[in-house]
Amino acid sequence: DIQMTQSPSSVSASVGDRVTITCRASQGISSWLGWYQQKPGTAPKLLIYASSSLQSGVPSRFSGSGSGTDFTLTITSLQPEDFATYYCQQVNSFPLTFGGGTKVEIK
Amino acid sequence: QVQLQQSGPGLVKPSQTLSLTCAISGDSVSSNSVTWHWIRQSPSRGLEWLGRTYYRSKWYNDYAVSVKSRITINPDTSKNQFSLQLNSVTPEDTAVYYCARGIPAGGRYNWFDPWGQGTLVTVSS
């Protein structure tokens, strides 16, 4: 199985800050990585697929990059509604696997 | 707009069978372009993909090795829904269970969008 490791596990930030989250795969997955946002009590929501493609309706302050084993999710100018937990997911091979999550908290 | 509505019991006794259903609106379980998944989430295991069903001229299933001997995912075309059955449950199967649609994008399938609302299933006597 491909292990997905996210860092940091949590980050404290203020509205307007730039936040970067990293995800590392235990083996190369090309660009087959997605990012999800989850707010308490709700299901995850797809933000980015194929490493850098923005899902329809997702604000442009979210961006993704990377290929192979190292990936990043960047939120420029953090908004109040962005405080949530973010997960990466690989679709390179089965079983599909997720990272452990990064909680973005209010400073 | 595609919506997934989950239903099923929130409490299951050890050794019994967990059964959940995911009703689809705005798409078809028989679609040739998407896949249908079950995922669970617990504090100890995080987000864990369990399996999928999909139709490409015939029905296919894939399951996670960790549950392969105990899981069945079935489509129900008459009701446009799909179901999860997990046999011989233990307290370790306690989790929030989600259904999700796997969409094709960027050259690959299995990006999950949307998800069902989630069902907390507790395994306890």
Side-chain angles (χ1 to χ4, degrees):
Chain A
D1 298 4
I2 297 176
Q3 309 302 318
M4 307 302 294
T5 304
Q6 287 184 235
S7 61
S9 57
S10 66
V11 57
S12 294
S14 301
V15 172
D17 284 354
R18 178 188 181 97
V19 172
T20 299
I21 299 167
T22 66
C23 179
R24 175 165 288 176
S26 61
Q27 63 190 74
I29 58 170
S30 186
S31 295
W32 306 126
L33 184 101
W35 290 97
Y36 296 82
Q37 176 193 65
Q38 185 177 33
K39 297 180 180 179
T42 70
K45 171 189 171 184
L46 178 65
L47 298 178
I48 288 172
Y49 61 90
S51 179
S52 60
S53 296
L54 210 60
Q55 176 65 343
S56 176
V58 174
S60 59
R61 62 181 179 273
F62 291 94
S63 64
S65 65
S67 66
T69 60
D70 294 314
F71 301 86
T72 61
L73 171 71
T74 299
I75 313 170
T76 58
S77 190
L78 199 65
Q79 297 301 298
E81 60 267 31
D82 301 336
F83 292 96
T85 301
Y86 294 85
Y87 295 93
C88 60
Q89 177 220 355
Q90 66 82 19
V91 300
N92 182 74
S93 62
F94 285 86
L96 308 176
T97 50
F98 293 85
T102 296
K103 187 173 184 178
V104 177
E105 299 174 300
I106 302 172
K107 183 183 284 184
Chain B
Q1 179 188 359
V2 177
Q3 292 186 318
L4 305 178
Q5 182 66 40
Q6 298 177 217
S7 59
L11 181 63
V12 182
K13 289 181 167 52
S15 79
Q16 294 193 342
T17 297
L18 181 161
S19 296
L20 297 173
T21 299
C22 183
I24 303 162
S25 58
D27 203 341
S28 170
V29 71
S30 303
S31 168
N32 276 292
S33 61
V34 298
T35 52
W36 304 99
H37 301 251
W38 287 98
I39 301 142
R40 66 183 178 183
Q41 184 174 31
S42 65
S44 59
R45 303 167 79 104
L47 285 161
E48 180 184 16
W49 175 79
L50 298 176
R52 66 172 179 170
T53 190
Y54 61 101
Y55 185 76
R56 300 289 185 270
S57 302
K58 67 175 186 177
W59 289 101
Y60 295 87
N61 291 99
D62 296 295
Y63 299 129
V65 169
S66 60
V67 295
K68 192 168 186 176
S69 63
R70 302 191 290 131
I71 190 173
T72 304
I73 296 176
N74 280 327
D76 182 341
T77 58
S78 66
K79 295 182 179 179
N80 199 32
Q81 62 188 29
F82 62 108
S83 64
L84 167 69
Q85 286 195 309
L86 188 65
N87 302 325
S88 305
V89 297
T90 73
E92 286 197 352
D93 294 309
T94 294
V96 177
Y97 287 75
Y98 293 101
C99 60
R101 183 181 66 161
I103 61 170
R108 280 289 168 117
Y109 287 86
N110 305 315
W111 311 106
F112 300 135
D113 183 58
W115 299 53
Q117 80 275 23
T119 302
L120 173 59
V121 178
T122 302
V123 179
S124 174
S125 54

